[in-house]
Amino acid sequence: MKYLAIAACLLELAMHITSHAASPERVGLEGAWRLTQADRKLSLPATVPGVVQTDLMAAGKISNPFYRDNNKSSQWVKEVPWTYVRSFTVSAGFLKHRQIRLRCEGLDTLATIQVNGKLIAHTDNMFRTWEFDVRPLLHTGDNKIQVVFAPVAPYLEAHVNQAAFPGKPVETHGMGYLRKSPFQPGWDFAPELMTSGIWKKIGLIGWDEARLTDVGVIQDHRSPGRVGLRVEVAADTSAPVKAHVAVLFQGRKVTEADTPLAGGKSISKLTIARPHLWWPVGMGAQNLYDIQVELRDARGAVVDQKTQRFGLRTITWMAKTSKRPLTLAINGRPFFAKGSNWVPEDSLTTRANPARQRRLIDDAINANMNMMRLWGGGYYDGDAFYDEADKRGLLLWSEFKFADASYPAFDPAWMANVKAEAQDNVRRLRNHPSLVVWSGNNEVIGFVADKTDPNHMTHEDYNKLFHGLLADVVRDLSPDAVYTPGSPEAGDDHDWNVWHGSSGFESYRDVHGFMSEFGFQAFPQPRSVEQFTSHADRASVLSPVMEYHQRNWRDGNQLILSTAKRYYRNPKDFDSALWLSQIQQADGVLTGVEHWRRDWPNSTGSLVWQYNDCWPSISWSMMDYYGRPKALWYRIRHAYAPVMLSGQTDGAEGNAQLWVSSDIPKPLRGNVRWALMRMDGTTIEKGMQPVAIPAGTTSVRALSLAKKAAVAKEGAGALLLWSELSVPGQPISTAVLTFAKPKNMTLAAPNIRAKIAQAGQSYRVTLTATRPALFSWLDLAGMDARFSDNFVHLRPGAPVTITLTPAKKTDLAHVQKALQVRSLYDTYVPGAPATLTVTPKPDGTIVATADDADVDGDAALEIGAPNNIGTWADPKTSLLWTVKDVKPGAYAVSMNVACPTDEAGSKFVVDVAGQELPGVVPTTAGWTTYIDLPLGTVNVTSFGTIKITLKPTNMQHTRVMNLRSLTLTPVVSK
């Protein structure tokens, strides 16, 4: 018996030893390559994965394209072919495998591959995984691989018009034909930076009996208390194998099954009793199961295996109707989507990395987000990104990589290429519980017409691609997933009336729905700007280099400034302009965010454009390229809090309303305390109101206040309404409401004091103020730090403590010396007027320019020669000029205006010191052709300051006019 037992043990050991002997084997080809360019006689070391630009930078052949305007001087890189080459060793043992494939997980983009001098393939899609049989071409010892990347311009030009498809031209730049990141030729937040290279893993895969290629988990939640699983396994096989499928939860096996493969495929059906559901952050636990799949041969030996995590959950898409907006429900529970839009992590694609992705996802979770929309103009993110989203509970709306262009769905070969791309990526990503929506495209619906032209695809072709091919791929490979053809075709809303239409932030309150795009730009903070500019570049936010890092077509930097003129006093210096832009972005965007949360269920989502940056940019982002949060990130943490207090005022009527929005699944009770306060910190009136908060996603009005008498007595700009909501078990939520625009508020020096106490490697900074301090923020001179909060409002007698953690180890003395504390009050010169004033010229002539105007409404100051008031689409918008030191006398009034024929005819009134001059907008040759329009004569009766207003009385078409200036010329008596 003793010997039998030993023999049995040896047999079991032998079986165990041989069970993995035939597993697939990989020879990695990452690492050191050689990069050459024949025309320029360049030969330099290269790193794979990588792109040409990063290798050229490492070799000192091009300058950092992100610094100043260096990117201009490196555009030649995209115009020439590049060759990657390396040698590699293949062992005799590896060559014994029955199958050997070259596996290329990312080739960017037009690649020609040779192995040992033999042509393998031409590839034309950076989003696909390519595999090629190379076993016949390999030999023991040294082998050679070469990959040549062609420039894309000739390829694009060849596809603009094709004889095979008469009457089917594509866009003049042809990018629709090229399966490459759409943003790389340049976007309104991204530079023109066309990469090429082996941008993902590459290697040889060898196997014998079988290789596991795909595992798909399809869920059935129809039976209460259990979830059915359909596990689809695919493999390359050359011998009979079966799939052993096991499901584990927290390391404990809960179900398993064995299923033979037929034709390289198997379907195993399993049941999980008492399932632990996966929930997004804030709604429940992120429970994750492991699915283990082993391919076993006839002897039971494991020839390949894979373990992948997945979560049990349902997603319900409740389409937009005439009675309700688009609404999503997770595990049957409707929720408000709180989040943002993810753009490519880096224009130099291989700089994207899991560590930075984890930080950005952590920051999204810390900002109380539960959803991120992965924009369709970038590239498909790697597995690590989705793994982290699964762990943290961040829902993902993922778009196939099509954006703002027409696409050649009329070409069968192109469609086959796209189908393979979609299949690759759906297979790779379909088991992630975080991925809840597949969307076909971003805004391609705007490039559809009845007939193909260089800028449009037909409805038939659009439907063939986005309602047909992509929908079929998702349905076939992930039938329990949600697919929508595109955004905003999905019934979501892209609201760009504020940025692109120059509407005021208040206009957000007129919009309702699932808001998947909206936003406003802000500059990065000074430390970030210093990293991509020289000292001379920082003379003005309108300097050439600052403008170069602004990629929006609408004179974006000027638009930031001109919008700020509506709401704030002029910033006193360059740094103040940067900080003030962030305050404006935060306050303006939250006007919408808070409204839409209050508006539930008429509004169901808020995804701010945009979350991150792909290069150092002036953009809509709330996290800049260097990972430094803008004010918006800090403020949106409060607006997206599980329980949030917000409000709205009517300055003219002196009314205020306070609302409580909640995502908590159980009912709550709390108290709202409020105080009406003067700018010197004294309280006029205060009160407290209990509030009952229903369970689930909800919004309730806590109280309404009528304070017309107090506002009339003190002045709208002299009062603040402070309020806070206290709910047991939840952080205090505060809301500070104003009755006037910030520039019209009579803020006084807040006298902020900071007390610092060390807490390990962090420091607790307690702030106090003797007068109200709005948007108070901390900064450390000369060093980076993370702040637990920032851009907070300080109320006299109410300390606020912020924890800061320096990026590098330091000490209390250095922190005390480096700490800077500022507020909105510090962004302008004390005593600066709320509006600009105009001073007459020495001869008495008064020229009131567009730059001098106080715009009340939606028209925008636009860059020109000189600047002008344009985008004037609302007749309720008026202009005001304040003119000082005006001498008495008669003045001839004229305007310098432009308006094309199809927009002319709007009527207006100019009021000069109480004297009205009516006018009609004339016809000019175009929007940039200006003429002087005489209006008449007015009389100023006394020396001093006068007001001039211009108000439309009707708008004939879609725009009022473009206006450069209004001139008052003294009338000389004869």
Side-chain angles (χ1 to χ4, degrees), residues 455-601:
N455 296 305
H456 296 89
M457 60 195 300
T458 64
H459 295 279
E460 178 185 3
D461 287 340
Y462 180 89
N463 292 338
K464 190 185 303 181
L465 175 56
F466 297 114
H467 289 256
L469 186 150
L470 295 177
D472 291 345
V473 169
V474 175
R475 184 184 62 250
D476 292 346
L477 297 178
S478 188
D480 50 0
V482 165
Y483 173 80
T484 185
S487 175
E489 184 189 359
D492 53 327
D493 297 274
H494 293 195
D495 183 32
W496 286 107
N497 286 325
V498 172
W499 177 263
H500 290 304
S502 298
S503 295
F505 294 119
E506 300 79 13
S507 69
Y508 284 138
R509 295 178 181 140
D510 300 324
V511 181
H512 312 271
F514 188 107
M515 312 307 300
S516 58
E517 274 195 26
F518 66 98
F520 200 84
Q521 288 196 359
F523 298 104
Q525 63 172 265
R527 187 171 293 111
S528 293
V529 173
E530 289 169 5
Q531 289 187 243
F532 66 84
T533 60
S534 69
H535 178 74
D537 299 330
R538 298 191 290 277
S540 165
V541 296
L542 302 178
S543 71
V545 166
M546 289 294 290
E547 293 279 17
Y548 185 73
H549 284 257
Q550 165 63 261
R551 305 314 298 162
N552 184 243
W553 57 270
R554 273 209 69 201
D555 301 326
N557 291 3
Q558 180 62 68
L559 185 55
I560 293 171
L561 297 180
S562 62
T563 303
K565 287 179 61 177
R566 297 183 191 174
Y567 296 98
Y568 303 94
R569 303 189 186 194
N570 271 2
K572 63 187 180 184
D573 52 32
F574 180 85
D575 283 5
S576 295
L578 306 185
W579 291 117
L580 182 63
S581 78
Q582 294 195 13
I583 291 171
Q584 172 175 256
Q585 180 194 39
D587 202 30
V589 169
L590 259 63
T591 300
V593 172
E594 293 177 348
H595 156 69
W596 290 311
R597 285 201 71 186
R598 290 194 297 268
D599 195 42
W600 174 272

Side-chain angles (χ1 to χ4, degrees), residues 853-856 859 869 872 877-881 948-952 963:
D854 184 11
V855 180
D856 183 11
I869 299 291
W872 197 339
T877 296
S878 62
L879 308 179
L880 168 67
W881 291 270
I948 303 174
T949 61
L950 192 162
K951 295 182 178 181
L963 174 76

Side-chain angles (χ1 to χ4, degrees), residues 285-358:
Q286 289 74 60
N287 294 308
L288 291 169
Y289 287 78
D290 290 307
I291 186 161
Q292 295 179 345
V293 178
E294 295 178 346
L295 295 183
R296 297 178 178 179
D297 65 14
R299 297 169 299 145
V302 176
V303 298
D304 199 2
Q305 59 185 334
K306 180 179 182 179
T307 298
Q308 185 173 355
R309 289 196 149 186
F310 71 102
L312 301 176
R313 59 107 182 104
T314 64
I315 182 70
T316 305
W317 175 279
M318 292 175 276
K320 181 179 181 179
T321 69
S322 60
K323 296 182 179 180
R324 70 156 187 244
L326 167 66
T327 307
L328 300 178
I330 194 87
N331 298 326
R333 186 190 301 172
F335 67 95
F336 188 94
K338 304 180 297 187
S340 191
N341 285 264
W342 179 277
V343 302
E345 187 184 335
D346 208 301
S347 287
L348 296 169
T349 51
T350 51
R351 283 182 169 178
N353 63 81
R356 184 158 62 169
Q357 290 168 355
R358 281 193 296 272

Side-chain angles (χ1 to χ4, degrees), residues 64-138:
N64 178 4
F66 290 175
Y67 182 68
R68 304 194 74 229
D69 57 0
N70 288 346
N71 190 47
K72 294 179 180 178
S73 63
S74 61
Q75 290 302 309
W76 63 271
V77 175
K78 70 172 189 273
E79 298 169 357
V80 295
W82 294 91
T83 300
Y84 284 81
V85 64
R86 68 161 289 172
S87 297
F88 59 96
T89 301
V90 175
S91 68
F94 186 80
L95 277 178
K96 291 180 180 179
H97 286 299
R98 297 178 187 175
Q99 303 287 338
I100 299 177
R101 302 280 173 84
L102 173 66
R103 180 178 173 86
C104 310
E105 297 186 20
L107 300 175
D108 179 13
T109 293
L110 301 176
T112 300
I113 309 167
Q114 292 186 354
V115 173
N116 291 328
K118 301 294 185 179
L119 176 66
I120 300 299
H122 301 286
T123 71
D124 57 358
N125 190 325
M126 75 176 286
F127 304 127
R128 288 181 60 180
T129 294
W130 302 88
E131 287 195 356
F132 310 103
D133 182 7
V134 293
R135 190 176 184 277
L137 305 179
L138 300 176

